[in-house]
Amino acid sequence: MAIQYGISGTTAKGIAASVEQGVTEGSLGPGAALPPVRRLADELGVSPGTVATAYKELRGRGIVVTRGRGGTVVAPEPAVASRRPPKVPEGLRDLSGGHPDPALLPALVPPSRLSPGARSHRSTPRLERLEDAVRDWLLPDGVPVEHVTFAHGALDLIGRLLSVELRPGDAVAMEDPGYHHLLDLVTALGLRIVPVAVDDEGVRPDALGAALRAGVRALVCSPRAQNPYGGCFSAVRRDALVDVLRDEPEVLVVENDHASEVAGAPLHTLTARGPARWVHVRTVSKFLGTDLRWAAAACDATTLARHDGRLLLTSGWVSHLLQETVYGLLTDNGTRALVTRAGEAYALRRSALLQEFGERGIEAHGASGMNVWVPVRDESAVVNGLRSHGWWVASGARFRLSAGPGVRISVADLEPADAVRLASDFAVVLGESEATYGG
């Protein structure tokens, strides 16, 4: 997609800044093609090496990607500007967001006891009672809890760890398809992504083995409720992955258990059986509230020291007000009952849609979590076709690296009765798209 935008500059930094400005302002949108190096060099009166250096800087910062003969284009999710999801067209049922059902979330009440601002929060960054609650939360699932820490959400923790542990150009094994914000974050850090295929049991051992042979220094994976595919580790799959990782003790294993209490599947964690370097991170946004930007993590001693050392130099600590709120909810019996009910509801809604798809011969995946992944031939045809029936789903392009096309459907508030209509409409749309695109 060629875009008319006047790139300017006489130095590599100036050219890179001009491109970044175009992306930030929206003049260069995702997929927009940048001029070939030699052509832009001729237009600006600079050497090809200057333009090549500018493009290299932009690639390292996750603003552009190079696609071989396809040239250099603006990244699908460039690491600048505001990348809010597309606005849901009026009158459509939104199944694209991946958010929990508001009716199944507790009321968020700030703690009555405010955190005094006079004491040094840096010297005591974590509330001891919340640390104890986190250990009580993780230990029954087999996660080692000798060392725990907190962060401002999973992305905050993972981004901090990768920036401390790795250097630009280092390789990271990432699930494919995978969580698009994590894929964008890794690219923005200047790291190289090595795709690792997933199935209904999560990361495939053969794909992980290939990534390790390619020299990855970290693995980021989800043990259950994998987004968008829905896979979850079985005990057999967990053991197979541990075997693959056993000969790579320096690889940092990041286990993102983002849905935990409402995943609808037991945890088979990698952390208890082998990795020397590991972190298991959990958030509460899926079952306590999306505005609770808090994560708990258990990890090895080295990882704890490196994470907390960098945290100390930046935000310093996670708000004690936020910690008090999370502690109150995690230890409240009424909230626990609500979370149990939410997990049961999501499992019912997910299985209802999968059953309806199965009865119509539609392949779909969603062994756990709040999402269902449906492989399709043409994402745009299916998304637009469902739009004509009143549904809004997420195109799979933003989640994929080298995996095949598909769409993601969020089922958090999709009642079983609605699943019947959605599956029927989906079958119609698939038939129409196959007729249009050659079957």
Side-chain angles (χ1 to χ4, degrees), residues 245-271:
L245 288 164
R246 185 163 286 123
D247 293 332
E248 301 290 344
E250 296 305 313
V251 171
L252 175 65
V253 176
V254 180
E255 197 172 70
N256 181 18
D257 192 21
H258 66 97
S260 61
E261 300 305 289
V262 292
L267 176 69
H268 296 288
T269 177
L270 299 173
T271 64

Side-chain angles (χ1 to χ4, degrees), residues 4 16 41 53 63 70 84 99 136 139 151 156 165 177 190 211 231 252 263 288 338 358 377 404 423:
Q4 296 299 318
T53 299
I63 297 174
R84 300 181 187 278
H99 305 302
D136 291 341
L139 189 59
D156 175 63
E165 297 277 349
L252 175 65
L288 294 185
L338 178 60
R377 285 195 58 196

Side-chain angles (χ1 to χ4, degrees), residues 11-292:
T11 65
K13 288 192 176 296
I15 296 168
S18 176
V19 172
E20 180 174 352
Q21 181 179 356
V23 175
T24 301
E25 294 175 347
S27 301
L28 290 172
L34 301 188
V37 169
R38 291 190 178 277
R39 192 178 83 197
L40 183 58
D42 289 342
E43 292 175 358
L44 298 178
V46 300
S47 71
T50 299
V51 176
T53 299
Y55 283 9
K56 181 179 180 180
E57 178 182 339
L58 292 165
R59 281 196 303 274
R61 293 170 49 216
I63 297 174
V64 304
V65 294
T66 298
R67 294 175 173 167
R69 294 184 179 180
T72 299
V73 302
V74 177
E77 299 280 349
V80 294
S82 175
R83 298 197 309 278
R84 300 181 187 278
K87 185 177 181 180
V88 180
E90 187 175 350
L92 299 188
R93 177 75 178 274
D94 183 16
L95 303 178
S96 66
H99 305 302
D101 185 346
L104 295 172
L105 295 175
L108 298 183
V109 180
S112 57
R113 181 177 58 189
L114 298 182
S115 174
R119 72 172 183 265
S120 173
H121 290 66
R122 290 181 187 271
S123 63
T124 54
R126 294 184 293 275
L127 298 180
E128 186 176 349
R129 57 185 171 279
L130 183 54
E131 284 186 322
D132 291 340
V134 165
R135 289 187 169 93
D136 291 341
W137 183 22
L138 300 178
L139 189 59
D141 287 328
V143 179
V145 294
E146 182 178 359
H147 306 289
V148 299
T149 190
F150 305 154
H152 300 93
L155 288 171
D156 175 63
L157 181 138
I158 295 171
R160 184 175 298 111
L161 275 178
L162 293 181
S163 66
V164 171
E165 297 277 349
L166 280 63
R167 296 293 177 265
D170 285 345
V172 181
M174 302 291 294
E175 296 167 328
D176 182 24
Y179 181 39
H180 57 96
H181 287 308
L182 265 176
L183 298 176
D184 297 341
L185 173 62
V186 170
T187 300
L189 292 173
L191 304 173
R192 179 167 54 90
I193 293 177
V194 177
V196 178
V198 300
D199 58 23
D200 291 327
E201 294 184 71
V203 170
R204 284 173 30 192
D206 59 332
L208 176 58
L212 293 172
R213 290 190 295 274
V216 299
R217 294 193 55 201
L219 163 68
V220 181
C221 62
S222 300
R224 51 185 172 178
Q226 196 274 343
N227 186 3
Y229 205 89
C232 55
F233 292 167
S234 64
V236 172
R237 174 60 56 86
R238 182 266 319 279
D239 292 346
L241 293 173
V242 168
D243 287 342
V244 173
L245 288 164
R246 185 163 286 123
D247 293 332
E248 301 290 344
E250 296 305 313
V251 171
L252 175 65
V253 176
V254 180
E255 197 172 70
N256 181 18
D257 192 21
H258 66 97
S260 61
E261 300 305 289
V262 292
L267 176 69
H268 296 288
T269 177
L270 299 173
T271 64
R273 294 202 174 197
R277 299 297 316 288
W278 60 273
V279 60
H280 176 94
V281 56
R282 287 188 185 179
T283 54
V284 295
S285 58
K286 295 299 185 186
F287 59 92
L288 294 185
T290 54
D291 210 31
L292 286 176

